[in-house]
Amino acid sequence: MTAKIISGTETAKAIREELKIEIAELKEKHNVVPGLVTILVGEDPASQSYVTAKNKTAHALGIHSEQMTLAADISEQELLNLIEKYNNDDKIHGILVQLPLPKHINEAKVLYTINPDKDVDGFHPVNVGKMVLGEQCYLPCTPHGILELLTRSGVKTSGAEVVVIGRSNIVGKPISNLMLQKRDGGNATVTICHTRTKDMAAHTKRADIIIAAVGVPKMVTADMVKEGVVVIDVGVNRIGKTAEGKAILAGDVDFDGVKEKAAAITPVPGGVGPMTITMLMKNTLQAAKQAAGLI
Ligand code: NAP
């Protein structure tokens, strides 16, 4: 069996077209332009490229976007003051602080300062709590993107054995929770693996769907999966550089080996990555509609 490739690039493109139309309608009918601010502290090249991509996408969709780049030695209080300013700015519906932050800044304090109504990353405890309860909230962008990839590719999750590898707050834990919720796109039986899991292959071998969010290049190999599995590879690992200095990326899954057994698989790059940014745009639109009392 050679797997169907689940293209995040194509799926994201389709969703972005839908968002563009909705954003134009929102402006035309209600004179509302969704606004997003991205706040980057320091000069980490990977973070810089993520923030640039987010602003570029926002701009292309008709979202008003502001990019704040702050010196790495900015004080925690200065950053908190800036967030408060945007909490009170009616033009801005979504606030995104790019992580990780420098060590001298308390990440939790920063995330808790963002008004939950503007927390388009879905990291504030209010949104995390609502997600767990299955209430309307901002879903965290990467898990949200994975759900869209699965549903739009027609992957049946109800009753499926899902194995999530990784238990981070931004991917592993939320996607595990979303997959077990009692609604379309959920209803799965979920197992979560991590560094203390005794026999990872014993779990992955019986999985109908594997979601790998580990940060270890090519960790999931063909001998660890069963025929017909659906594989979502969240990992983005820089494993070298091209002669031109461009990063060579690999996922957490050995794509070449696993694709021979899988029914469907996401590539890296071009899988989950483009979906994450697209879901940020979707959340920003949702924030603008909520602020205008339209939902
Ligand atoms: P993280 O916070 O470092 O968490 C990694 C998780 O994997 C942890 O729960 C860890 O277990 C587990 N783990 C690490 N090595 C393992 C091993 N050898 N065996 C079993 N479990 C292991 O990472 P993250 O933020 O979730 O990100 C994971 C990957 O996804 C990274 O490559 C990241 O770059 C990528 N990512 C991509 C996107 C995207 O949009 N495409 C978004 C977010 C993240 P313990 O808890 O026991 O330490």
Side-chain angles (χ1 to χ4, degrees):
M1 177 183 283
T2 292
K4 169 187 154 191
I5 307 300
I6 300 178
S7 169
T9 308
E10 289 306 314
T11 311
K13 205 167 140 194
I15 298 173
R16 287 178 196 185
E17 286 308 315
E18 295 164 14
L19 292 176
K20 210 169 163 178
I21 293 167
E22 262 199 82
I23 290 164
E25 276 178 7
L26 189 66
K27 185 169 182 203
E28 205 177 294
K29 291 190 188 150
H30 303 280
N31 201 25
V32 173
V33 177
L36 171 72
V37 62
T38 58
I39 302 175
L40 171 66
V41 183
E43 289 169 2
D44 174 61
S47 294
Q48 272 176 339
S49 75
Y50 291 142
V51 165
T52 302
K54 287 167 186 174
N55 281 283
K56 209 172 136 193
T57 309
H59 188 72
L61 298 186
I63 292 174
H64 164 76
S65 79
E66 296 181 19
Q67 181 171 348
M68 289 297 300
T69 305
L70 309 171
D73 61 356
I74 192 172
S75 73
E76 184 180 282
Q77 193 54 51
E78 281 175 286
L79 177 57
L80 297 179
N81 292 347
L82 185 71
I83 293 170
E84 284 297 0
K85 175 175 116 57
Y86 284 114
N87 278 344
N88 295 310
D89 182 340
D90 291 343
K91 282 196 315 298
I92 296 298
H93 306 101
I95 301 171
L96 178 137
V97 178
Q98 186 66 43
L99 301 179
L101 289 167
K103 295 246 176 317
H104 68 282
I105 297 178
N106 182 334
E107 210 163 271
K109 207 164 163 185
V110 168
L111 296 178
Y112 288 23
T113 302
I114 297 172
N115 177 347
D117 291 337
K118 297 192 177 190
D119 167 42
V120 284
D121 243 345
F123 292 162
H124 192 287
V126 167
N127 284 310
V128 176
K130 286 183 173 176
M131 177 198 71
V132 171
L133 295 172
E135 290 180 16
Q136 170 151 320
C137 62
Y138 300 113
L139 296 181
C141 299
T142 302
H144 195 177
I146 296 170
L147 286 188
E148 288 278 351
L149 272 182
L150 289 171
T151 41
R152 289 183 184 238
S153 313
V155 176
K156 188 172 165 277
T157 58
S158 182
E161 290 284 343
V162 173
V163 172
V164 176
I165 315 175
R167 56 176 165 180
S168 71
N169 288 337
I170 63 168
V171 192
K173 277 188 211 158
I175 191 60
S176 307
N177 186 273
L178 290 166
M179 299 290 309
L180 66 79
Q181 292 199 1
K182 204 168 180 176
R183 55 164 181 75
D184 287 348
N187 285 318
T189 302
V190 182
T191 303
I192 309 172
C193 297
H194 44 78
T195 52
R196 310 295 164 93
T197 298
K198 278 193 188 135
D199 184 356
M200 170 116 46
H203 297 287
T204 53
K205 269 181 189 163
R206 58 173 179 74
D208 302 311
I209 301 171
I210 295 174
I211 299 172
V214 197
V216 177
K218 303 183 186 186
M219 194 191 83
V220 179
T221 48
D223 57 325
M224 293 170 68
V225 308
K226 73 176 184 187
E227 289 281 342
V229 65
V230 172
V231 180
I232 304 290
D233 189 351
V234 185
V236 179
N237 306 292
R238 288 169 168 74
I239 56 167
K241 279 189 177 169
T242 63
E244 300 79 45
K246 238 182 121 189
I248 301 171
L249 301 180
D252 292 338
V253 177
D254 175 21
F255 181 85
D256 291 333
V258 172
K259 82 174 188 326
E260 298 306 323
K261 283 173 94 176
I265 187 167
T266 58
V268 177
V272 175
M275 295 298 292
T276 297
I277 295 184
T278 304
M279 292 305 111
L280 176 68
M281 303 303 136
K282 196 173 167 126
N283 283 355
T284 305
L285 172 61
Q286 182 184 331
K289 282 181 170 173
Q290 267 171 221
L294 299 169
I295 43 174

